[in-house]
Amino acid sequence: MAASPGPAGGGGAGAAHGSGPSGLAFDSGLEIKTRSVEQTLLPLVSQITTLINHKDNTKKSDKTLQAIQRVGQAVNLAVGRFVKVGEAIANENWDLKEEINIACIEAKQAGETIAALTDVSSLNHPESDGQITIFRDKTGVIKAARLLLSSVTRVLLLADRVVIKQIIRSRNKVLATMERLEKVNSFQEFVQIFSQFGNEMVEFAHLTGDRQNDLKDEKKKAKMAAARSVLEKCTMMLLTASKTCLRHPNCESAHKNKEGVFDRMKVALDKVIEIVTECKPNGENDLSSVSIFTGIKEFKMNIETLRENLYFQSKETLSAMLEALLERTEDFTDCAYTSHEHRERILEVSAQARTELQQLISVWIQAQSRKTKSIAEELELTILKISHNLNELKKELHSTAAQLAADLLKYHADHVVLKALKLTGVEGNLEGLAEYACKLSEQKERLVETCRLLRHVSGTEPLEITCLHAEETFQVTGQQIISAAETLTLHPSSKIAKENLDVFCEAWESQISDMSTLLREISDVFEGRRGEKYGYLSLPKPMKNSANLRSLKADKPDSEEQAKIAKLGLKLGLLTSDANCELEKWEDQENEMVLYGRNMSSMAYSLYLFTRGEGPLKTYQDLIHQLEVFAEEGLKLASSVQAFSKQLKDDDKLMLLLEINKFVPLCHQLQTIIKTPLQNQVFLKVDKCITKARSMMAVLVQLLSLCYKLLKKESRN
């Protein structure tokens, strides 16, 4: 399965790649190629649209015309690659073949038209002033560009339907095999079916990992990450729980343990399908209705509208909103673990909020009848007062939840209860089991309650979803650990029962670790440090026993490999220094291009340290994960540079866009190499990735230098 997504729900970028079953209706490699060509093609089309958006009497130099011709040719080449992939998809999907082929033909025609109309040799050169107009047929280029966008969009939408169908088919295969696993009675039959199940789960991980990367909605992305995390961890649990059941068929706790895993996996599989098909089940809870921070944000927006419109809201509506908001703070004040000081402060600030609202309503009523400057100023003052009060409430709630979580994580860092349960199990100590099962239940309830409080103060919907995922994981895993411990206690000499308990305890420890990172991310949002990168917080944390499900070598490079990559890394280190020199020239160090460039430089330096056997990246898995983030950051930088190019004049803009066209394909090529399975040739993959990262850094240095010069030029104008 895929590497475990990071706690913020943004991980899981690279599903594990292995040799899944063949004969798929649509090879996932086609999806990767389609996405790569799409991302290369659409910016080029955008450039054509920009180039033709000028006054008819605008004159262009020969240099500019040559650049225009190169862009036109690049568009045509990209369209050609796109069409080949589209035709391959059509040939594998007969029900959509005609629609896709028609769209491909239109795209090809549009690409050829753009190439012809931007061909300098086909234009008449007036000799009077040494300059010529940008196009002979501006209308034709506009029409071709629009046709190209339309046809490409149609192909992508049709391909998207193919991908969704493939994910559904893959899910159905997994479910069918799971049903067989539930009913299996012999160990030999189980091993055979589980081998098939493992391949199907790898295939499903491929598809859902690619889909997660493509999702634009961060909330959906977080939900997908949570569901995939459940499936990854449960796959190993299913193996040991099922083997324990087969070894001890009459043990009720073993059956209960196994059923819990199957149930959770089925729910996660259904959740993935809900996300990809965008079907919201009836009665699904809206997270915003339970988050206090979201409620505060909505309430403040409502009172701030009074500045523009005194009749936008009714007094009753605002009062009801505040009461509903303050009612949710009871989760904090009623919590047995909240300190007396925090409880008193929350109650005090809540009472003050009610008083401030009554004052606001009083001034508001006066403002509706008296349109004077003094009453308007008083209304503004009361709005500011209640906003300040709500900010104080946010601070107090965040402080309470963060303190509870930090204390709890510190207290349980050594996992004393889990160790005691393992010991009582191998000793067959039923009395000890009862004692420590009770302690784990108490710990579970406290963790669940703390996750609920963190959800209130998380600040973003993706983090709310991650808190909910943590809450559910502790709730379910806690019960499963107890049933696994009971099985071991009843069969203390059973190696498989001991292994099974170890697996569930590992999942618990992993979730504790994820909660620690989650707490830091919530604090980052609250303190406005969301943009900062903790480069290694979300590195994959594979479970110890999942080696048979990983296709990526987790080992460190051996001495021979280290020597080879050391040569690769030297140039990378030098390029990092060059990039830093370029970045230091910028006066505005908060500029988006600088921030993304600095992130890339920092990550490239970590890659360089890895090639020397130093730094925070220890294994090949660490390296590949960092390269994924490096490529994503490169695309963000390219997007920021493209936004900057819109401020420039045509000649400068074209020069910058041509540099972007060198950089973006390198980012996509790196992503493709990362996703391409090389089975046992891990070092070859690493070699290719570092070489591509080095090429990206070389272009990045040129790009940053050009952006700096153009920015200075623009500021002088």
Side-chain angles (χ1 to χ4, degrees), residues 394-444:
K394 283 179 67 175
K395 285 181 187 176
E396 198 59 40
L397 295 174
H398 176 268
S399 175
T400 303
Q403 187 63 54
L404 284 172
D407 290 347
L408 189 57
L409 289 168
K410 185 178 179 182
Y411 183 73
H412 294 296
D414 50 4
H415 304 294
V416 171
V417 176
L418 296 184
K419 291 173 184 174
L421 276 171
K422 291 177 184 180
L423 187 60
T424 56
V426 295
E427 290 176 348
N429 182 353
L430 288 170
E431 287 183 10
L433 170 68
E435 178 188 347
Y436 288 109
C438 184
K439 286 185 178 181
L440 184 68
S441 293
E442 289 172 6
Q443 182 180 334
K444 176 198 71 178

Side-chain angles (χ1 to χ4, degrees), residues 19-191:
S19 54
S22 58
L24 298 177
F26 168 62
D27 186 351
S28 61
L30 286 176
E31 183 189 2
I32 295 168
K33 290 174 188 172
T34 306
R35 185 167 58 252
S36 178
V37 175
E38 167 205 357
Q39 290 165 335
T40 306
L41 175 65
L42 294 183
L44 289 169
V45 177
S46 175
Q47 291 163 32
I48 288 290
T49 306
T50 301
L51 287 169
I52 60 180
N53 188 20
H54 68 97
K55 294 180 181 178
D56 289 333
N57 60 359
T58 302
K59 298 290 183 179
K60 300 292 172 188
S61 66
D62 284 337
K63 181 181 176 182
T64 301
L65 283 165
Q66 293 293 336
I68 291 169
Q69 179 170 307
R70 288 198 299 274
V71 173
Q73 290 169 345
V75 170
N76 194 29
L77 286 171
V79 171
R81 293 195 298 272
F82 184 88
V83 166
K84 283 182 181 177
V85 176
E87 289 170 346
I89 296 170
N91 289 334
E92 294 291 337
N93 295 273
W94 289 91
D95 53 334
L96 298 174
K97 184 173 182 178
E98 186 177 353
E99 289 180 78
I100 294 174
N101 280 338
I102 290 171
C104 284
I105 290 167
E106 289 180 3
K108 189 175 180 181
Q109 289 172 345
E112 290 170 351
T113 301
I114 288 172
L117 293 176
T118 54
D119 184 358
V120 175
S121 63
S122 68
L123 302 177
N124 296 319
H125 291 242
E127 301 297 330
S128 57
D129 58 2
Q131 290 184 316
I132 56 173
T133 55
I134 186 168
F135 298 119
R136 180 181 58 191
D137 183 4
K138 176 181 171 181
T139 306
V141 174
I142 295 172
K143 187 176 177 182
R146 286 176 178 165
L147 177 62
L148 181 56
L149 282 169
S150 171
S151 54
V152 165
T153 301
R154 289 214 314 280
V155 173
L156 294 173
L157 288 172
L158 291 166
D160 193 60
R161 282 167 55 186
V162 172
V163 174
I164 291 171
K165 282 166 59 180
Q166 189 185 9
I167 291 173
I168 293 171
R169 280 199 300 269
S170 180
R171 188 281 306 257
N172 291 342
K173 281 161 57 178
V174 168
L175 276 176
T177 307
M178 280 176 66
E179 286 181 13
R180 292 173 62 199
L181 282 172
E182 280 186 279
K183 297 172 184 175
V184 73
N185 291 316
S186 77
F187 193 80
Q188 186 176 358
E189 186 185 2
F190 170 79
V191 170

Side-chain angles (χ1 to χ4, degrees), residues 634-681:
L635 291 173
K636 290 176 186 175
L637 173 73
S639 177
S640 182
V641 173
Q642 199 160 8
F644 166 60
S645 72
K646 294 176 183 177
Q647 305 170 23
L648 305 175
K649 294 180 181 177
D650 280 355
D651 286 359
D652 291 341
K653 180 186 297 185
L654 197 55
M655 199 187 317
L656 188 55
L657 291 174
L658 288 170
E659 284 299 315
I660 297 173
N661 284 341
K662 296 177 188 174
F663 187 68
V664 172
L666 290 171
C667 298
H668 294 314
Q669 287 161 19
L670 177 58
Q671 288 181 323
T672 303
I673 294 169
I674 290 168
K675 289 176 180 291
T676 303
L678 289 177
Q679 295 178 358
N680 295 325
Q681 300 178 39

Side-chain angles (χ1 to χ4, degrees), residues 286 448 559 652:
D286 185 1
V448 166
S559 56
D652 291 341

Side-chain angles (χ1 to χ4, degrees), residues 147-148 281 358 431 494 510 554 562 565 578 667 706:
L147 177 62
L148 181 56
Q358 289 309 310
E431 287 183 10
S494 172
S510 173
Q562 193 72 63
I565 59 175
D578 292 343
C667 298
L706 181 58

Side-chain angles (χ1 to χ4, degrees), residues 517-579:
T517 306
L518 173 61
L519 176 58
R520 180 180 282 187
E521 295 197 349
I522 288 171
S523 293
D524 283 351
V525 171
F526 182 76
E527 294 167 18
R529 296 200 311 259
R530 182 67 171 182
E532 287 188 13
K533 295 284 178 184
Y534 292 94
Y536 316 106
L537 275 181
S538 57
L539 286 174
K541 297 181 285 294
M543 296 170 72
K544 297 171 202 167
N545 295 311
S546 59
N548 59 324
L549 296 176
R550 289 200 308 262
S551 63
L552 183 61
K553 186 174 172 185
D555 300 341
K556 297 179 181 180
D558 58 32
S559 56
E560 185 181 345
E561 291 172 342
Q562 193 72 63
K564 288 179 181 177
I565 59 175
K567 295 177 183 176
L568 283 174
L570 184 59
K571 183 66 183 295
L572 192 59
L574 294 171
L575 287 167
T576 301
S577 298
D578 292 343

